[in-house]
Amino acid sequence: MNILALDSSGLAASAAIVNDEKVLGEFFINHKKTHSQTLMPLVENMLKLTDFDKHDIDFIAVTSGPGSFTGLRIGMAAAKGLCAALDKPLITISSLDVIAYGLGEREGLIVPVMDARRGQVYYSIYKREGEALRRLCNYGAEEIGRVLEQVKQMRAKAVFAGDGVSPYEKEITRAGFEKAEISQNIQRAGCLGVLALAAAKQGRTIRPESAELMYLRKSQAERELEEKQAAEAEAVFRPMKKGDIDAIAELEKKCFPTSPWSKK
């Protein structure tokens, strides 16, 4: 069974081919260029260097979120396109599951965090039980302080991993928790492929057209639109008075700097 795994949910883009025996190839890049520029060339070069026939792929796997809104859409679009071209089923795995799996045999709690901006992170909490990872809470988007408090209440040692570690390194360390190594702070397509392989064996595949992304919160554009609409809803209309003239004259200068109406 051969899995082609794609991830572009965070800062890094990666692609891997995984089968029942090993990770045949894994490419990733975490430097400047956008995922739309790098993801498919990674796949193409990996297939070429491994001499792997794309028609031997059995399943396409992709991270379904949470993460970068644009990155998630690029990854899902690429995965759906490959599924359509090769007539293969799709497997989706949470990006937080992928980060947690990458921490291997860690004891205690595993807390993947992805930077959600505005002081928030996407996160969940896991604990290894035998060879499996058990998720202890729902996927969420929350302020880092509240995440740290939730982990503290579980009264266990914990390691934090993901691109959310760097911006909140001081808070995590001050709370007494461990940080993962830098190599464990990105989503690896190889880990995605291993998780997808297990999902395929359990029959957890979906039709590409039914796949959905997990955003957890609204995009920045949606939030800004709502804020604008709320501000407009609070606007008050009334007749102009003499006391408004100074402010209106100043606004006139800003709107029409070359030929404003005078105050008079």
Side-chain angles (χ1 to χ4, degrees):
M1 190 180 296
N2 298 307
I3 306 280
L4 173 61
L6 310 176
D7 176 77
S8 57
S9 59
L11 297 175
S14 60
I17 300 173
V18 178
N19 66 16
D20 297 273
E21 299 176 351
K22 58 185 176 181
V23 177
L24 294 175
E26 181 179 23
F27 281 23
F28 76 90
I29 186 167
N30 188 20
H31 185 66
K32 294 183 179 179
K33 290 187 177 181
T34 64
H35 297 328
S36 60
Q37 295 174 290
T38 59
L39 188 59
M40 291 309 294
L42 289 180
V43 173
E44 183 179 9
N45 288 325
M46 183 178 59
L47 292 172
K48 182 178 179 180
L49 288 174
T50 56
D51 293 323
F52 195 88
D53 189 336
K54 60 181 179 291
H55 296 289
D56 291 333
I57 294 168
D58 297 300
F59 302 96
I60 309 295
V62 68
T63 41
S64 58
S68 158
F69 283 67
T70 302
L72 288 171
R73 289 166 180 161
I74 290 170
M76 183 62 77
K80 287 185 174 183
L82 287 166
C83 286
L86 301 175
D87 192 23
K88 303 296 180 181
L90 183 66
I91 298 169
T92 60
I93 304 287
S94 166
S95 44
L96 295 171
D97 291 358
V98 174
I99 296 172
Y101 183 84
L103 267 71
E105 301 298 325
R106 291 276 188 150
E107 294 182 2
L109 304 177
I110 297 172
V111 188
V113 287
M114 299 180 70
D115 188 11
R117 313 217 176 203
R118 293 194 170 190
Q120 291 190 334
V121 292
Y122 302 118
Y123 81 104
S124 193
I125 304 172
Y126 301 76
K127 185 176 182 180
R128 186 166 291 281
E129 295 182 350
E131 296 183 359
L133 273 176
R134 182 163 70 93
R135 185 160 49 86
L136 304 180
C137 68
N138 293 330
Y139 305 114
E142 190 57 87
E143 293 178 1
I144 187 64
R146 294 185 178 181
V147 175
L148 291 168
E149 188 58 36
Q150 184 178 349
V151 177
K152 282 181 182 178
Q153 291 175 1
M154 294 183 172
R155 300 184 182 279
K157 65 178 183 179
V159 57
F160 281 67
D163 63 29
V165 169
S166 179
Y168 304 108
E169 182 176 350
K170 291 181 180 178
E171 291 90 334
I172 294 168
T173 303
R174 194 180 302 126
F177 298 123
E178 184 184 355
K179 302 172 300 176
E181 301 293 335
I182 58 173
S183 62
Q184 298 171 318
N185 281 335
I186 57 175
Q187 300 82 266
R188 301 288 294 263
C191 295
L192 167 62
V194 173
L195 290 172
L197 189 63
K201 291 178 179 178
Q202 295 169 9
R204 292 191 286 115
T205 64
I206 58 176
R207 295 178 61 84
E209 60 270 22
S210 66
E212 295 183 355
L213 292 169
M214 177 172 57
Y215 292 125
L216 294 184
R217 71 174 194 179
K218 295 175 181 177
S219 69
Q220 181 177 347
E222 290 173 311
R223 292 195 303 271
E224 289 177 352
L225 177 61
E226 288 182 353
E227 290 169 1
K228 179 181 177 183
Q229 290 173 336
E232 290 173 348
E234 294 172 1
V236 176
F237 294 88
R238 61 168 173 76
M240 184 171 67
K241 300 177 180 179
K242 274 189 178 181
D244 299 322
I245 291 176
D246 286 342
I248 291 172
E250 189 63 30
L251 180 62
E252 181 76 10
K253 291 178 184 178
K254 292 179 180 179
C255 294
F256 305 100
T258 59
S259 57
W261 283 355
S262 66
K263 180 178 175 180
K264 182 178 179 180

